[in-house]
Amino acid sequence: MNIHLIAVGTRMPAWVTQGYEEYSKRMPRECSLKLVEIAPGHRGKNASIEKAIEDEGKRMLAAIPKGANVIALDEKGKSWSTMQLSKQLDGWLQQGSDTALLVGGPDGLSASCRASARTSWSLSALTLPHPLVRVLLAEQLYRALSVLNGHPYHRE
């Protein structure tokens, strides 16, 4: 199974790329993490934010692999503890199909992305910077897999 992290934003700071890659490379082949960067929609003086979100959403939906389990990262989604995430991850692994995690841009996900998702997941009640979300997701997925494999990385 592959986990596709489909995220709006390109040209991330070096610390984001390094942090994401550190945890991504730790994932085993049977549960690899693949980043798909989506160019942000045009935002500017007379630009429509709604149009930018809609354009991002179309490109995100086009990047989802056929048959993938789609999870929207959304502030109104369900919060999962590490143990709950490990159970979710185990379920995704058991399904055998790829999973796509959708991370919107600065103004969130399009309605079409939220509608296409099987479920919505909230990482925190806090507002997190989108670059940090990539690193946080990669680390938490690695941690959840460590729980499933009985690896000592996660300690309760």
Side-chain angles (χ1 to χ4, degrees), residues 31-83:
C31 187
S32 65
L33 182 58
K34 300 179 181 293
L35 177 63
V36 179
E37 292 185 317
I38 303 296
H42 175 70
R43 288 168 174 79
K45 189 172 180 176
N46 294 315
S48 164
I49 297 298
E50 293 79 20
K51 177 146 178 37
I53 295 168
E54 183 181 319
D55 290 345
E56 293 164 357
K58 287 178 184 174
R59 289 194 300 277
M60 292 180 86
L61 292 173
I64 297 170
K66 187 175 181 165
N69 175 35
V70 180
I71 311 295
L73 277 288
D74 187 73
E75 64 186 3
K76 297 176 181 119
K78 299 172 190 168
S79 293
W80 297 330
S81 68
T82 298
M83 299 310 283

Side-chain angles (χ1 to χ4, degrees), residues 1-2 4 6 60-70 96-100 118:
M1 175 190 85
N2 294 312
H4 303 268
I6 303 172
M60 292 180 86
L61 292 173
I64 297 170
K66 187 175 181 165
N69 175 35
V70 180
S97 59
D98 286 358
T99 294
R118 181 175 291 169

Side-chain angles (χ1 to χ4, degrees), residues 9-148:
T10 56
R11 296 182 301 225
M12 291 293 123
W15 67 268
V16 172
T17 302
Q18 291 167 348
Y20 171 82
E21 288 177 355
E22 175 63 31
Y23 292 103
S24 175
K25 73 181 180 186
R26 293 183 187 190
M27 299 291 283
R29 184 172 295 168
E30 65 270 9
C31 187
S32 65
L33 182 58
K34 300 179 181 293
L35 177 63
V36 179
E37 292 185 317
I38 303 296
H42 175 70
R43 288 168 174 79
K45 189 172 180 176
N46 294 315
S48 164
I49 297 298
E50 293 79 20
K51 177 146 178 37
I53 295 168
E54 183 181 319
D55 290 345
E56 293 164 357
K58 287 178 184 174
R59 289 194 300 277
M60 292 180 86
L61 292 173
I64 297 170
K66 187 175 181 165
N69 175 35
V70 180
I71 311 295
L73 277 288
D74 187 73
E75 64 186 3
K76 297 176 181 119
K78 299 172 190 168
S79 293
W80 297 330
S81 68
T82 298
M83 299 310 283
Q84 289 169 324
L85 175 58
S86 70
K87 288 178 184 171
Q88 292 288 331
L89 182 57
D90 190 39
W92 302 341
L93 287 164
Q94 297 303 319
Q95 289 174 1
S97 59
D98 286 358
T99 294
L101 302 175
L102 305 182
V103 178
D107 300 298
L109 285 170
S110 69
S112 58
C113 284
R114 287 193 307 273
S116 73
R118 181 175 291 169
T119 191
S120 292
W121 174 20
S122 173
L123 293 178
S124 173
L126 300 171
T127 301
L128 300 171
H130 286 79
L132 181 59
V133 168
R134 293 180 187 198
V135 179
L136 183 64
L137 273 172
E139 191 279 336
Q140 286 299 297
L141 290 167
Y142 174 70
R143 182 176 296 274
L145 193 61
S146 296
V147 168
L148 289 176

